[in-house]
Amino acid sequence: MKILVPVKRVVDTNVKIRVKADGTGVDLANVKMSMNPFDEIAVEEALRIKEAGKATEVVVVSIGSDKSAETLRTGLAMGADRAILVKTDAASVEPLAVAKLLKAVIAAEEPSLVVLGKQAIDDDSNQTGQMLAALLGWPQATFASKVVLGDGSVDVTREVDGGLETLRLKLPAIVTTDLRLNEPRYASLPNIMKAKKKPLDETTPETLGVDASPRLTVLKTVEPTGRTAGVKLGSVDELVARLKQAGVL
Ligand code: AMP
């Protein structure tokens, strides 16, 4: 059984985001980039399923520029067997286009399970897994906090308001990962070296026959407004008076 894990290259979580002076987006010049954290969790889960003897191959796939190959190498260093880069020079590829490209990759690869992150931390779209499931007509379970592979099916536990919900999906299926699913491993130095020799194939949206052109226009990006300075009050009476003035009391 093959598991496909789409991984996105995003700004590292430790970087303080700066908005470009003209407001057209986030400044990516000289910024540390990493694998989307939810995708690390997805790779980890796929590897654990393989290590439990329930899958034979884990393939990581990324859609992006040449630099996304680094993200794929991280996935290979964690333990994935193979990587596929869908190379595009577009500044960003929208979730629907990503889903269409993944559908084309899936047609060729025929995985039984696709594990995605629940959302990419750069666009916060939380759309790709759902759109992919719809395009394929496959069952989907989003925000997985536990995944148990059965015979021809997968049980997925999801954190919902007020408790846990467990779904059984028939394979092939789409699962998206939540934060508490697992703790992803770090790639060891020997595995980073080994990853350099693992296969990384390249393709393009044109070869896959997918139109990945954008449908949305970003009108404006703004930094959150900073907090305004507070005032020190001399007494409780003064505080009560101020709260009354503000209509809080
Ligand atoms: P989003 O819908 O953009 O929040 O992304 C949800 C998930 O879709 C991510 O966690 C990835 O698993 C996958 N994904 C989104 N964009 C890409 C991309 N460019 N390349 C590979 N996987 C992606």
Side-chain angles (χ1 to χ4, degrees):
M1 190 195 86
K2 191 191 285 187
I3 306 178
L4 192 82
V5 185
V7 294
K8 186 175 187 186
R9 182 173 183 266
V10 298
V11 174
D12 188 90
T13 38
N14 295 312
V15 170
K16 184 164 177 339
I17 300 288
R18 276 172 294 129
V19 169
K20 283 193 219 164
D22 62 4
T24 53
V26 168
D27 192 356
L28 296 180
N30 304 318
V31 166
K32 182 171 188 273
M33 306 290 283
S34 299
M35 184 187 293
N36 182 45
F38 292 107
D39 304 352
E40 287 181 345
I41 295 172
V43 174
E44 176 65 37
E45 197 61 23
L47 294 175
R48 289 186 190 188
I49 294 170
K50 186 184 164 194
E51 285 160 2
K54 292 178 176 168
T56 46
E57 194 181 28
V58 175
V59 180
V60 280
V61 52
S62 194
I63 294 139
S65 71
D66 271 339
K67 295 202 172 137
S68 293
E70 289 167 17
T71 312
L72 290 169
R73 290 281 172 213
T74 304
L76 294 171
M78 285 173 77
D81 301 287
R82 233 162 20 88
I84 302 167
L85 172 63
V86 181
K87 206 168 128 187
T88 156
D89 290 326
S92 85
V93 186
E94 291 167 9
L96 179 59
V98 172
K100 287 181 183 169
L101 291 164
L102 292 175
K103 183 184 176 203
V105 170
I106 287 164
E109 290 289 329
E110 300 184 334
S112 301
L113 186 65
V114 182
V115 189
L116 302 94
K118 76 166 176 183
Q119 78 192 54
I121 60 160
D122 52 359
D123 59 21
D124 272 348
S125 293
N126 172 224
Q127 293 177 0
T128 309
Q130 294 89 325
M131 286 179 169
L132 179 61
L135 291 175
L136 291 165
W138 287 11
Q140 61 170 313
T142 51
F143 310 160
S145 62
K146 189 173 169 196
V147 174
V148 180
L149 213 77
D151 196 13
S153 67
V154 59
D155 288 0
V156 178
T157 303
R158 316 176 56 238
E159 287 175 20
V160 291
D161 277 352
L164 297 173
E165 175 188 60
T166 303
L167 303 173
R168 177 161 294 167
L169 319 182
K170 238 173 96 180
L171 296 178
I174 305 285
V175 171
T176 73
T177 61
D178 212 338
L179 210 57
R180 277 172 289 276
L181 178 58
N182 62 45
E183 183 85 28
R185 69 195 66 185
Y186 288 104
S188 65
L189 194 59
N191 286 345
I192 293 173
M193 301 311 287
K194 268 194 232 156
K196 294 189 176 157
K197 295 201 181 117
K198 289 187 179 175
L200 193 160
D201 294 328
E202 271 187 34
T203 184
T204 61
E206 294 73 40
T207 311
L208 295 172
V210 174
D211 174 10
S213 48
R215 297 165 164 233
L216 309 173
T217 314
V218 176
L219 298 181
K220 197 164 70 165
T221 312
V222 287
E223 305 247 1
T225 45
R227 289 176 64 174
T228 47
V231 230
K232 256 193 180 166
L233 301 176
S235 68
V236 174
D237 288 345
E238 213 182 320
L239 172 65
V240 171
R242 287 288 190 105
L243 290 174
K244 280 190 179 153
Q245 221 177 31
V248 179
L249 292 180

